[in-house]
Amino acid sequence: MTTQGEQFPPPPGLQPQAASAHRRGPRVTRQRMLLWVALAALAAAGSWAVTRPNPGDLLPGLGPTSTKPATGTTAPGAAPAQPLTEAQAFAADWYFPAQRGIEQDGYKGRRANAGQGADCADAVLDKAHDPLRDSGCQGYLAVAFVRLDQQVDTSVTVLRFADEAAAGKTGAVLREPAAALLQLQPEGAPAAPGPQAGKQPLTSRRVAVVGHYVTVTVSRFADQRTTAAETDHSLDEATRAVGYAAGLPFAWM
């Protein structure tokens, strides 16, 4: 493409009289027509490259006006998104999102509540006999699940440690019956009548060490009954299914 005001030299072999005639006025030749056609095509292509709309643009030709997030390479000078650290990702909604239920070995349940904290003492039932004191626990997650028929409630607590040795030592302590953790109740669940005085509701409990994490899973009937038929394995089935599902995300860490 030439700049404005630039003159084209006479074609080679043009006779002086022809050149003189050329200076007196423009003469349309086949070569000139082809040249102008080519220049017009280049100009049109350049204009299209500038004004063609991007997919999703609200107003064509005004640049990326779409409200849709752009995809592709990171803008020059922008810092790339950093992956979450293990501590940042240790959140109930990250590992146990509300919309994801559990379906395992015949058990079907949904998430009914969730909580988390950096002070593991908040997850202990008996503060006077804290089994997590000086254990090196770095944080906890507590998630409540309800079987779809709403007959069985299950609470799972996940404890995070710096290494497998600390997790294994604490797991052994938590297997003792007196080392109980709080059981997170389903959100909005009606208050149960509770067991009779001097009796404890039937529960099924499971403690597992998974890498440098410990999971404590407890299930009980929603009505907190104290007895059940010997053939009723509902609590064990719920504890096994929820405990397995809770430990699975941490098995490869």
Side-chain angles (χ1 to χ4, degrees), residues 48-116:
W48 178 85
V50 172
T51 62
R52 69 184 180 89
N54 293 317
D57 280 356
L58 300 180
L59 297 175
L62 294 185
T65 57
S66 172
T67 57
K68 197 173 183 180
T71 58
T73 58
T74 304
Q82 297 295 328
L84 295 177
T85 65
E86 181 181 340
Q88 291 171 333
F90 191 62
D93 288 339
W94 179 267
Y95 286 106
F96 310 103
Q99 67 274 18
R100 184 188 303 165
I102 293 179
E103 186 171 347
Q104 177 75 28
D105 295 336
Y107 171 88
K108 294 182 180 180
R110 61 175 179 83
R111 198 188 89 164
N113 203 353
Q116 61 194 59

Side-chain angles (χ1 to χ4, degrees), residues 3-14:
T3 59
Q4 185 176 1
E6 181 178 354
Q7 298 295 328
F8 294 100
L14 186 66

Side-chain angles (χ1 to χ4, degrees), residues 18 20-21 64 73 77 95 130 154 158 164 188 232:
S20 177
T73 58
Y95 286 106
D130 185 354
T154 303
V158 183
E164 295 184 15
D232 189 343

Side-chain angles (χ1 to χ4, degrees), residues 5-32:
E6 181 178 354
Q7 298 295 328
F8 294 100
L14 186 66
Q15 299 299 323
Q17 61 271 23
S20 177
H22 175 76
R23 286 192 296 270
R24 288 193 299 270
R27 177 185 173 191
V28 179
T29 65
R30 186 167 182 268
Q31 289 179 337
R32 183 179 292 277

